[in-house]
Amino acid sequence: MFDLLYDESNIPEISTLVAKSYNGVTEPGEKKIKKVGVLTSGGDAPGMNATIRSVVRTGINSGLEVYGVTRGYHGLWKGEISPIGVRDVSETLQRGGTFLMTARSKTFMTKEGVLQGARMMQVYDLDALIVSGGDGSFQGARALARLGVPVIGIPGTIDNDIACTEYTIGYDTAMNTAMEAIDKLRDTASSHERCSVIEVMGRHAGYIALNVGIATGAEVILIPEVETDFNRDVIRTILDGRNKGKRHYIVIVAEGAGDATEIAQKIEAQTGIESRPTILGHLQRGGSPTLRDRTTASLMGARAIDCLLEGRYNRLIIEKNGVITDVDIEEGLAMQKTISPKDIETAKRLS
């Protein structure tokens, strides 16, 4: 997806689009950033509104003009772009979702779609684009950067699966939402001597499942990073618990590690314990962002504007060792990330 390379000599209209960047730094005398676009892309995450607010307020207070792009990359290539002011972002800090809206654009996954997006930057005389989203959104930003569009990426995804950063906006809120729901399900499971199988988000990454499982005292945690022996890791664990006197059980499964309904059916068939599936789904995307997500979003948005003001383009804003900083977009997207085996082992010891 988006892994596109272009021969810019064949598209001369792009060469005059915006100031070029070399190794992430502008050449002396090049055009300075005056107008900035901001969009949210991919799945929404709590804290995206705080990100937009930070970009708008920091940008305007630094003398820039800020334009909002509606519906992500889909809105970019369609030209859904309009000025956005300080008053437009009032009372948005505490709201979940994204008021700029988001969408997945199949058109923008093509060379033609990316070119059209770059042309719309030219139509609206935008000098740079700030993108809040996940890995796919960053790949789209990189495709624009390879055309000469200065871009800044801000990690906004509940999965916390972007390799170059320790934390992504929305992750804390999503985990707290899931934890609260699971606590309530445990109450009813204990009343009925029942096994609750709860599916949380995480198609390719098990960060939510692992940490929520630890926080709620789950007996079983299933994540895509670890191959599961169903008899040993699920059935035997539950039966051992029952034989020690337990009367209710919590199984947490990341969506990429199995289907909650099928797992519940297998558990009941093999153990005789009443088992009920619950799929939290998009419930985890909603809700007012936590303090951590509001603060991180605000600091990352400000850092994005600082990068543009300092002439450091094509960067990803990240958290490293608890500090907000930035990294080159090519370098950042080349990194890989996985769950620590030690954390997985600790979760098993706690179950």
Side-chain angles (χ1 to χ4, degrees):
M1 183 193 303
F2 292 120
D3 193 17
L4 308 173
L5 292 172
Y6 302 98
D7 178 2
E8 293 178 18
S9 64
N10 293 329
I11 42 174
E13 73 273 23
I14 298 300
S15 64
T16 58
L17 183 64
V18 287
K20 290 285 185 182
S21 61
Y22 299 89
N23 297 319
V25 181
T26 53
E27 293 280 299
E30 286 194 83
K31 183 179 178 181
K32 298 299 183 181
I33 300 297
K34 296 180 180 179
K35 294 183 179 181
V36 180
V38 58
L39 63 80
T40 50
S41 175
D44 61 293
M48 279 186 165
N49 281 328
T51 303
I52 301 165
R53 175 184 181 273
S54 176
V55 167
V56 171
R57 294 201 170 207
T58 307
I60 290 175
N61 289 334
S62 300
L64 303 179
E65 295 180 47
V66 183
Y67 286 71
V69 182
T70 307
R71 280 180 279 275
Y73 290 121
H74 189 69
L76 178 64
W77 72 264
K78 292 181 67 177
E80 297 181 7
I81 303 169
S82 58
I84 187 170
V86 171
R87 297 305 304 168
D88 296 318
V89 295
S90 295
E91 302 300 324
T92 60
L93 186 65
Q94 73 280 13
R95 289 167 49 191
T98 163
F99 73 87
L100 282 180
M101 305 179 68
T102 182
R104 302 188 189 277
S105 177
K106 292 183 178 180
T107 300
F108 203 79
M109 293 180 187
T110 66
K111 178 178 179 179
E112 292 73 20
V114 177
L115 286 169
Q116 178 64 8
R119 292 189 184 98
M120 281 300 171
M121 293 281 294
Q122 187 178 41
V123 167
Y124 280 87
D125 198 26
L126 298 181
D127 302 314
L129 183 67
I130 295 175
V131 175
S132 177
D135 184 71
S137 302
F138 285 177
Q139 291 184 49
R142 179 175 62 181
L144 286 169
R146 288 174 174 176
L147 288 179
V149 179
V151 298
I152 304 291
I154 300 177
T157 169
I158 67 171
D159 292 328
N160 199 36
D161 60 349
I162 296 178
C164 58
T165 182
E166 296 169 355
Y167 186 80
T168 62
I169 297 162
Y171 180 49
D172 187 57
T173 305
M175 286 194 299
N176 275 281
T177 298
M179 181 184 70
E180 292 169 5
I182 293 165
D183 284 346
K184 292 179 172 64
L185 287 166
R186 182 179 283 280
D187 290 343
T188 186
S190 64
S191 300
H192 294 271
E193 297 187 271
R194 179 181 293 160
C195 176
S196 286
V197 181
I198 300 123
E199 184 178 309
V200 298
M201 283 191 163
R203 185 171 293 112
H204 304 293
Y207 293 98
I208 293 177
L210 182 66
N211 287 287
V212 169
I214 292 172
T216 58
E219 281 70 35
V220 177
I221 304 171
L222 305 177
I223 58 177
E225 291 87 347
V226 177
E227 187 176 349
T228 300
D229 181 316
F230 195 82
N231 286 334
R232 180 195 65 205
D233 299 329
V234 181
I235 300 301
R236 177 65 183 270
T237 300
I238 292 173
L239 289 177
D240 283 349
R242 183 181 67 181
N243 294 340
K244 292 175 183 177
K246 289 188 69 68
R247 291 294 177 263
H248 61 275
Y249 318 89
I250 296 292
V251 175
I252 307 295
V253 54
E255 61 182 321
D259 179 89
T261 302
E262 293 179 1
I263 291 171
Q265 290 171 348
K266 289 176 68 175
I267 291 172
E268 184 163 343
Q270 295 184 40
T271 67
I273 298 170
E274 182 183 6
S275 302
R276 296 287 180 85
T278 301
I279 301 174
L280 297 183
H282 287 82
L283 175 71
Q284 296 156 92
R285 291 197 185 279
S288 180
T290 60
L291 182 146
R292 179 171 189 183
D293 281 328
R294 297 185 198 191
T295 303
T296 302
S298 298
L299 295 176
M300 285 187 168
R303 181 78 178 200
I305 292 296
D306 287 342
C307 283
L308 295 179
L309 293 174
E310 294 163 8
R312 293 185 295 111
Y313 306 153
N314 306 335
R315 311 292 290 179
L316 299 180
I317 309 303
I318 64 172
E319 180 178 304
K320 184 176 182 180
N321 298 324
V323 177
I324 305 302
T325 183
D326 54 88
V327 66
D328 176 77
I329 191 169
E330 297 284 356
E331 179 184 347
L333 287 178
M335 295 180 184
Q336 295 183 339
K337 178 180 182 180
T338 189
I339 294 177
S340 164
K342 184 177 180 180
D343 290 344
I344 295 170
E345 180 59 30
T346 299
K348 291 180 178 179
R349 293 168 63 194
L350 288 168
S351 64

